[in-house]
Amino acid sequence: MGMYDYFASHALISDQSLSEIHKYCFSPNATSDLKCYNATITATSTLNQHMDIYNIYAPVCTNRNLTSRPKRYATDPCIDYYVDAYLNRPDVQKALHANVTKLDHVWQGCSSGLTNWVDYSSTSIPQLKELMASGTRVWVFSGDIDGRLPFTSNLYSLKTMKLKVKTPWHPWLINQEVGGYTEVYEGNLTFATVRGAGHTVPSYEPRRALALISHFLNGNPLPFSSKD
């Protein structure tokens, strides 16, 4: 639900589409899987074709020719194709001692060859609770222009944990500008966004990502001022 709410709040789908998705997919009275499917497909069909859902403001890859010189963006939109090609080279796989069984499909970041994989959890909340119960500091963060795993979904998940707010929502700063927003909860859990970052935060905002991880490793809260 957080993903579709994010789409609507960023003008990627219509209010009507969002209303139908809520009605057919997430309401207590939702009974039709087909209506839910049709509503989501109708709303998002153009998103997957013409934009990078992992960074809704990034350019898309328009030339998958690995030998051509790409235009220089802060992050190359074609990088996934380079990675796939590199990791499927026989010499690279040999050096990594990978694919020794000679699989009948190529390596992919999100493999279409694993069609029956069911060994995964539907939520990571039990793991978060376990870490918090042991006294471990937990930080959950999101790039604020990631449409695939948006900050709204993370916030909705954390809300189900019914945690008390220790430090209310506020901007955190780096180099005298907003690096993102954060909220701290009792139980040693911090939620943070990274402004201008997509799905893989360091790829899009390396300086802000470094600030985030540095404060976490040092055991310090995200800074209220650029001097912190």
Side-chain angles (χ1 to χ4, degrees):
M1 183 168 66
M3 183 172 68
Y4 297 108
D5 287 353
Y6 180 89
F7 291 163
S9 68
H10 286 74
L12 302 182
I13 65 175
S14 68
D15 285 344
Q16 180 181 351
S17 290
L18 181 65
S19 177
E20 291 179 353
I21 290 170
H22 273 262
K23 178 180 178 180
Y24 295 130
C25 302
F26 301 110
S27 74
N29 299 321
T31 57
S32 174
D33 290 340
L34 179 59
K35 288 184 178 180
C36 172
Y37 174 80
N38 288 337
T40 57
I41 290 299
T42 299
T44 62
S45 59
T46 59
L47 298 185
N48 296 327
Q49 297 176 20
H50 303 296
M51 67 183 302
D52 182 358
I53 203 63
Y54 295 94
N55 184 329
I56 63 172
Y57 299 127
V60 296
C61 181
T62 56
N63 183 0
R64 301 181 184 182
N65 186 340
L66 300 177
T67 61
S68 66
R69 181 180 294 274
K71 294 180 180 179
R72 295 302 176 186
Y73 298 105
T75 300
D76 189 339
C78 299
I79 193 169
D80 285 348
Y81 299 102
Y82 309 149
V83 173
D84 283 4
Y86 181 73
L87 292 179
N88 279 297
R89 280 173 38 181
D91 60 321
V92 173
Q93 293 185 348
K94 181 178 179 180
L96 295 174
H97 306 285
N99 197 18
V100 295
T101 58
K102 304 302 177 184
L103 298 170
D104 62 0
H105 53 271
V106 299
W107 180 91
Q108 295 173 292
C110 293
S111 177
S112 59
L114 302 177
T115 57
N116 297 314
W117 179 47
V118 295
D119 185 21
Y120 60 90
S121 300
S122 60
T123 174
S124 60
I125 289 177
Q127 286 72 34
L128 294 180
K129 290 181 177 178
E130 182 178 344
L131 290 169
M132 294 168 66
S134 69
T136 302
R137 287 183 297 114
V138 176
W139 283 24
V140 177
F141 65 94
S142 297
D144 65 5
I145 52 177
D146 174 15
R148 187 61 188 88
L149 293 176
F151 70 90
T152 44
S153 293
N154 273 333
L155 284 175
Y156 291 173
S157 295
L158 294 177
K159 187 176 181 179
T160 67
M161 297 174 67
K162 301 186 186 310
L163 302 173
K164 292 184 178 180
V165 175
K166 181 179 178 180
T167 306
W169 185 270
H170 66 276
W172 62 272
L173 305 181
I174 176 175
N175 294 339
Q176 299 182 340
E177 65 180 19
V178 174
Y181 291 81
T182 183
E183 189 163 69
V184 182
Y185 303 91
E186 291 185 4
N188 227 352
L189 187 146
T190 294
F191 174 74
T193 67
V194 181
R195 186 166 68 91
H199 190 67
T200 49
V201 169
S203 297
Y204 299 103
E205 289 292 340
R207 185 183 295 274
R208 292 170 185 169
L210 178 60
L212 186 80
I213 192 66
S214 295
H215 281 80
F216 173 76
L217 293 175
N218 292 329
N220 297 326
L222 286 166
F224 280 99
S225 72
S226 56
K227 296 179 181 180
D228 293 341

